[in-house]
Amino acid sequence: MSKQLFAIFGDPVSHSRSPLMHNSVFKQLNYNACYTRVHLTDGSKLRETFLNLKLSGANITVPHKEEAFKACDEVRGFATKIGVVNTIVKENGKLIGYNTDADGFLFSISEFKNIKTILILGAGGTAKALSQKFSDEGFEVTILNRSENRLQSYTESGFKTFTWESFEIKKYDLVINTTSAGLQDSNLPAPKEIIKPLLQQSSYVADAIYGKVTPFLALAKELNKEYKDGADMLLGQGVLANNYFTASTFDLKTIEKYMRESFNY
Ligand code: NDP
């Protein structure tokens, strides 16, 4: 079989560790494939670009995961429930979509104990995946977002939703930042008058962003909270995506081993 090509689509995408992670697995396991990055500004061009590049599969990151859902011929598993796709695999000429973010996140917080209530900051693609998964797992989930627009679908699905204006600060067992605040700027995901008292009362803090200490995590650290950045979430979603890319040729533990090694590069 000729060499397979995989890619990550995003805007921005230069910060992504996915090429290192997947190439580490391909190289160590002698799998004839290579993984690159594609800076895509217009999400509606995703399908066309995927096909032009003759990709065998792709990951999709901010802000194109909902467009990725539309780009697929068929969507399977948890992604069908949420309309958000972060992994596409070409199968018999068709683009098949999956979502591996939520299971990746559950993997990353498995050491946080006694969690019942979760506050998600942000209402984009990542929030959608996590909120649905958490709710399926029996957690009580609340969503806080900067603007009203994206909250509607969450309200309709039965979640408690707030904007910064309507939010009443109280204790949550876990607070997760799924906004892109702090990714390329020094913003908190909500005004400090909200975030600081919120974190003071919470037990655990997590951020989907990885590779840097965001202002949000810096505050959690200052308040002596137990926290995690997005690296383990990234690892979790990557292991599951690689398993789709390689059609279950390797077991998950083997993929995890070589993918984790790439974090030392
Ligand atoms: P989306 O573009 O779908 O959603 C972005 C959300 O962030 C929206 O709710 C938006 O609010 C909010 N937002 C953006 N800027 C700000 C700001 N300055 N202050 C407050 N809220 C803001 O993004 P995704 O859900 O795809 O990704 C979100 C983040 O998660 C990214 O940083 C991404 O890198 C990270 N991520 C990490 C993963 C990992 O494996 N570790 C996996 C997936 C994502 P509004 O509606 O008001 O615009």
Side-chain angles (χ1 to χ4, degrees):
M1 200 160 69
S2 60
K3 194 169 195 137
Q4 290 179 279
L5 181 63
F6 297 89
I8 176 146
F9 288 95
D11 179 24
V13 77
S14 57
H15 68 285
S16 174
R17 294 192 66 87
S18 290
L20 279 176
M21 290 160 53
H22 288 276
N23 283 327
S24 171
V25 176
F26 294 149
K27 190 169 166 216
Q28 310 263 15
L29 294 170
N30 287 321
Y31 195 80
N32 192 16
C34 170
Y35 190 112
T36 186
R37 311 184 157 81
V38 179
H39 183 199
L40 185 77
T41 45
D42 181 356
S44 68
K45 299 261 169 27
L46 178 62
R47 184 182 171 91
E48 184 185 323
T49 315
F50 183 105
L51 293 171
N52 285 343
L53 291 172
K54 301 194 177 1
L55 298 179
S56 298
N59 287 121
I60 298 89
T61 187
V62 62
H64 301 314
K65 294 184 189 185
E66 278 149 334
E67 280 290 343
F69 180 87
K70 296 184 205 151
C72 293
D73 295 299
E74 187 187 328
V75 175
R76 293 187 189 150
F78 183 63
T80 52
K81 234 176 168 171
I82 54 171
V84 179
V85 158
N86 80 323
T87 303
I88 296 179
V89 180
K90 197 169 175 195
E91 211 181 276
N92 301 321
K94 289 191 169 164
L95 271 56
I96 313 293
Y98 299 93
N99 188 294
T100 67
D101 282 333
D103 280 321
F105 191 83
L106 281 180
F107 169 83
S108 79
I109 59 157
S110 47
E111 66 212 52
F112 289 172
K113 300 296 174 214
N114 298 322
I115 292 178
K116 292 191 184 68
T117 56
I118 300 180
L119 177 71
I120 297 181
L121 308 173
T126 308
K128 204 178 245 183
L130 294 186
S131 58
Q132 185 61 53
K133 192 72 177 185
F134 290 151
S135 152
D136 289 354
E137 298 287 320
F139 297 107
E140 193 187 311
V141 183
T142 304
I143 318 284
L144 173 62
N145 195 44
R146 175 175 62 180
S147 56
E148 182 81 53
N149 240 354
R150 297 197 212 217
L151 286 174
Q152 197 182 341
S153 67
Y154 292 88
T155 315
E156 284 164 9
S157 303
F159 292 104
K160 282 186 215 156
T161 62
F162 298 97
T163 60
W164 297 352
E165 288 72 32
S166 62
F167 187 61
E168 281 170 33
I169 299 161
K170 67 174 191 96
K171 175 189 161 37
Y172 292 90
D173 297 327
L174 171 63
V175 179
I176 309 164
N177 175 33
T178 74
T179 77
S180 35
L183 182 64
Q184 288 195 309
D185 52 44
S186 53
N187 292 329
L188 283 168
K192 196 165 185 182
E193 308 82 75
I194 294 180
I195 296 293
K196 193 169 180 187
L198 182 65
L199 295 193
Q200 271 165 335
Q201 294 178 50
S202 68
S203 308
Y204 299 104
V205 179
D207 201 322
I209 295 171
Y210 61 89
K212 64 184 286 193
V213 180
T214 57
F216 177 70
L217 284 191
L219 187 57
K221 195 173 172 190
E222 190 187 308
L223 297 170
N224 285 322
K225 296 292 162 182
E226 211 174 310
Y227 67 88
K228 280 205 166 267
D229 75 3
D232 282 331
M233 177 182 177
L234 178 76
L235 182 75
Q237 64 76 31
V239 168
L240 301 178
N242 193 279
N243 187 48
Y244 286 127
F245 293 156
T246 54
S248 303
T249 307
F250 312 108
D251 64 78
L252 295 179
K253 283 279 157 213
T254 306
I255 297 173
E256 185 192 335
K257 175 174 184 280
Y258 293 117
M259 210 167 251
R260 199 177 275 284
E261 278 182 10
S262 76
F263 280 72
N264 303 325
Y265 298 165

